[in-house]
Amino acid sequence: MTVVNIAQPGEGRPGNRPPSMADVAAMAGVSHQTVSRVLNDHPNVREGTRDQVMEAIRQLGYRRNRAARALATSHSSTIGILTVGSEFFGPQSTVLAIEAAARAQGYFVTVTALDRYDAHSASEALSHLVDQGVDGVVMVAPFEKVIDALDDAALTIPVVVVAARTQVPAADPAHYVYIDQREGARMATGHLLALGHRKIAHISGPSGWFDATERQIGWQEKMLEAKAPVIEVPAESWLAPSGYEAGKRLVDSVRAGEVTAVFAANDYLATGVLRAFWEAGLEVPNDVSVVGFDDLQISNFLIPSLTTVRQPFRDVGHAALTELLEGAMADKAPKVIAPTLVIRASTAPPKPR
């Protein structure tokens, strides 16, 4: 039976100061060292003693001092995240997933968002995080120029990059985690080809993004394998207005039968395309099929609901944190996570002509 002395929070402590580890030890009837072992999950503590210490912690309302722990262990239990603006769905979803995974492991998170997407800004941001004493950094900034900052960085802490960088220089110190963007694009394009489409236009994402490049490559690979024409319409951004403008440029080609399906590089672009086609009097999917990428929550509520590629961001968050905490003991092979195709009402076989 576990027995601890009952005391009210603050009782017996001068000035009702916050409870200390010594107070926990006194209430539990154990040594200061035993309390420390319990807090650090040391295996050489009897279960009954562990329960006794945890009950004292609960009764006292003891909260561990992060600064003292950092001094004692040379670890801050804080992870730095370097990311881009919150307007980008993929990076923002990834950051939230990493933060949740870190919290579940008892880590705090500090986030630095870049205001410019270049190697110099990334180097400064990395230095800022290192100066804060973080135990490691996760970079969620899938820009080619941003990741270039790693090639010359002399980092003394582990770094994990969430970006589909398939060609990694040997000197790159980072571990990589990413969703297979190329395979996701191949799945989307393959779905349209299986429906009978041959004239599939791709609205590609903005240049300089690893994800946009990989999705473009995946679409092109499938089209060339099928000996189908390669029709690309570049978008200036990831946002719906860019998709709307690209969609307007495709209207005449759809009416002429030169394009029967569109694979947009993300769901925002696909949403803009749907609007442009609706304004032009084109019916989706009767006149033209549309596929997106990401599986935004709203994508299931569009008219018609959008066929798209779902990215498992929660899995990315867990994998990134695992690589950060354990990657030093593993090889540097990238952790690649598979996407899934979600088929909805925006795709159908091409109409006979």
Side-chain angles (χ1 to χ4, degrees), residues 275-304:
R275 174 68 186 221
F277 288 169
W278 175 79
E279 288 183 355
L282 296 173
E283 294 185 6
V284 177
N286 293 333
D287 295 319
V288 57
S289 289
V290 177
V291 178
F293 204 111
D294 278 341
D295 193 25
L296 301 175
Q297 186 181 47
I298 196 174
S299 298
N300 192 36
F301 297 92
L302 298 172
I303 301 175

Side-chain angles (χ1 to χ4, degrees), residues 80-105:
I81 299 179
L82 176 61
T83 188
V84 294
S86 61
E87 71 270 23
F88 300 116
F89 173 76
Q92 183 67 7
S93 299
T94 303
V95 168
L96 292 174
I98 294 169
E99 194 277 333
R103 188 172 62 250
Q105 292 290 329

